Amino acid sequence: GNCCKLFGASSANAADVESDAPESTAPSLVVVAASPDAAVACGHASKYPFEQFAPSMNVRELPIVLFNDDASQQLVWYNGGIKAGIVHCPDDEPDVWSRDAVVMSPAYLGFAIEPYEQRYLYYKGVGIVFSRPHRGKFMQPSIDTMLVCYGLDQLFQSKGCSFGRAIDIGMGSGFIGKFAAAKAPGKGRLAITLVDVDPAAEEYCRSDGFGATIRGAGGREVEWSCQTGDASALLQADSDFDLLISNPPYIPTREEVEEGTSAAPSNFWEGCGLLVHMLELMLEGRYRKGAHLVVMVTSLTLKAKRVQALLAQVASQGLQVRVLVEREIAWKDGMLDPAEARRTSSPTARKMTRGSALAAASILWVRCGLATAGKGGIAIAGPTTIGTSPTSSTSADLTRRRRGRQSRFERVRARA
């Protein structure tokens, strides 16, 4: 499918546009899409500053999974380990090198990992030793996770950005929240809240494997709060954050597509109710003055009528939406067994019950109060998904722009 594009800044120069924009203390919204960066030189893992964990942590053998700076390439060393809290990686070339990373487990290149299997995951100075706790149902770190972090990195490099209170909504492994804690610019203490409905997510994020850092960018103090509960209820009671981050369930249900209703997430991928709630609070001005909202959406997400309607209100509310990152990724229904995939209420999911399909991921950045002359117009592209037609002229433009180009996934598959 083609990705949605909310025009206002291209993925290549979003940071540049922000640096030229007038300073504002009005709220901001950010949406996550996906885009490539300079290639990482294949070399020795010793050049990467891996984190140090509690001295009591020892793992005889685990894979080291590393992404380059723009999250377009994935390197895997099978025989890594941790001794007395120090990560050890073989000092040679990686066993797997995915030059077009569209999934976290590129089985077509010989690497696949289950949620319960331990691994060290690393991106730009931030790492976790992850395996999902017993009975946990939250999604393990995925390619989405890396792209959201890449989008945040783009935002953090923008002129004038400063954050004091952040929340990772539906944190799962907490990797995105930990990345924000380590990289978010600002002065003084940074308060980070992690929240998820799955108690296993809180259990993991309090473990030595997560390794919550006590110091962030510039040595600022980081204060952590980890909670189990309904993020919508939490935000209703306390929305005083200046950075809100989420990789929410983004596959709409049948009702959301056909009737325009909003459904609470029934699992970690289906039901856009949480996304809708976050957008509604943004449009109501409930977040802290000058706040940013960074969320992951895909071309499938915009089939939800309520999501489209909310984004269409952005211009009239004086907000801007920008793409931070835009990239094709593989949406794998392999996370479902075939019977469950056929039963799911999502019509788009049922069309993709054979193997993998491409969806476009989008990281968008919305900034309230920057809708000045020449920058106030926001064109919202309707999505195109497998087996469907474009829903707007803007989407048709995007379809024409992409026509004739071989997809990144097709190139990867051809090489494999």
Side-chain angles (χ1 to χ4, degrees):
N2 290 327
C3 30
C4 73
K5 179 72 179 283
L6 290 95
F7 296 93
S10 70
S11 58
N13 64 359
D16 292 337
V17 173
E18 161 62 6
S19 63
D20 293 334
E23 293 187 6
S24 171
T25 57
S28 313
L29 162 71
V30 183
V31 185
V32 179
S35 122
D37 170 11
V40 67
C42 182
H44 298 244
S46 57
K47 67 182 181 181
Y48 298 101
F50 293 145
E51 286 189 63
Q52 187 168 342
F53 293 87
S56 59
M57 175 167 286
N58 292 280
V59 183
R60 182 175 179 180
E61 187 173 278
L62 84 172
I64 307 295
V65 183
L66 179 152
F67 283 80
N68 71 323
D69 284 358
D70 73 349
S72 66
Q73 300 189 38
Q74 180 188 25
L75 290 76
V76 180
W77 289 264
Y78 290 137
N79 301 314
I82 299 176
K83 187 174 182 179
I86 298 175
V87 179
H88 294 272
C89 185
D91 196 21
D92 53 20
E93 292 188 353
D95 297 294
V96 175
W97 185 11
S98 175
R99 293 165 175 81
D100 275 301
V102 293
V103 291
M104 178 65 78
S105 291
Y108 51 89
L109 296 178
F111 175 70
I113 193 161
E114 298 294 334
Y116 57 82
E117 294 178 309
Q118 214 166 27
R119 87 297 305 261
Y120 175 67
L121 178 62
Y122 174 91
Y123 174 68
K124 293 202 75 171
V126 178
I128 59 173
V129 180
F130 179 81
S131 63
R132 192 169 67 190
H134 181 57
R135 292 193 180 91
K137 296 181 179 180
F138 64 89
M139 188 173 183
Q140 67 173 326
S142 66
I143 190 67
D144 297 6
T145 308
M146 300 298 102
L147 295 179
V148 174
C149 289
Y150 176 41
L152 283 172
D153 192 54
Q154 303 302 297
L155 175 64
F156 292 160
Q157 294 178 39
S158 302
K159 181 181 177 182
C161 276
S162 179
F163 304 101
R165 191 163 187 245
I167 182 171
D168 182 357
I169 302 164
M171 82 274 199
S173 70
F175 191 95
I176 295 171
K178 185 175 181 180
F179 185 85
K183 304 290 185 178
K187 296 180 179 179
R189 177 182 300 175
L190 173 64
I192 294 280
T193 298
L194 306 179
V195 60
D196 201 292
V197 294
D198 191 341
E202 179 179 354
E203 177 186 342
Y204 169 71
C205 290
R206 292 184 181 276
S207 71
D208 289 343
F210 179 71
T213 180
I214 60 172
R215 296 291 173 187
R220 67 191 305 202
E221 181 184 352
V222 177
E223 179 182 88
W224 293 89
S225 172
C226 194
Q227 304 179 29
T228 298
D230 181 356
S232 295
L234 185 152
L235 289 174
Q236 198 68 35
D238 179 12
S239 54
D240 188 30
F241 297 93
D242 53 18
L243 177 61
L244 301 97
I245 315 157
S246 186
N247 179 19
Y250 50 58
I251 305 299
T253 63
R254 173 188 290 275
E255 291 74 22
E256 287 176 317
V257 172
E258 296 180 352
E259 302 170 13
T261 57
S262 177
S266 57
N267 43 55
F268 59 67
W269 70 89
E270 187 183 36
C272 297
L274 178 57
L275 173 61
V276 165
H277 186 63
M278 290 187 291
L279 291 172
E280 288 175 340
L281 291 177
M282 169 63 75
L283 289 167
E284 292 169 9
R286 295 284 298 277
Y287 302 136
R288 180 178 290 187
K289 194 174 183 180
H292 292 66
L293 171 62
V294 181
V295 294
M296 180 87 171
V297 300
T298 75
S299 52
L300 301 177
T301 312
L302 295 191
K303 298 305 292 181
K305 293 181 179 179
R306 181 59 179 158
V307 173
Q308 291 189 43
L310 289 170
L311 290 174
Q313 296 178 36
V314 165
S316 63
Q317 296 288 333
L319 291 93
Q320 283 188 330
V321 181
R322 296 180 189 166
V323 177
L324 288 174
V325 184
E326 184 177 70
R327 188 172 299 163
E328 286 176 338
I329 60 173
W331 188 81
K332 292 182 21 176
D333 62 77
M335 62 180 73
L336 302 174
D337 63 67
E340 186 177 356
R342 286 192 295 271
R343 285 196 305 269
T344 181
S345 59
S346 169
T348 49
R350 286 201 306 277
K351 291 175 182 176
M352 300 192 292
T353 54
R354 298 179 182 177
S356 298
L358 274 182
S362 299
I363 300 168
L364 305 177
W365 178 72
V366 184
R367 187 68 187 263
C368 179
L370 296 184
T372 56
K375 293 185 179 180
I378 300 177
I380 299 179
T384 59
T385 55
I386 294 173
T388 64
S389 301
T391 57
S392 75
S393 59
T394 312
S395 181
D397 285 343
L398 188 59
T399 303
R400 285 193 293 271
R401 187 160 56 86
R402 297 175 61 84
R403 186 174 294 142
R405 285 192 331 201
Q406 187 183 37
S407 77
R408 298 175 68 248
F409 185 66
E410 290 168 337
R411 294 198 299 272
V412 171
R413 186 166 55 187
R415 282 202 297 270

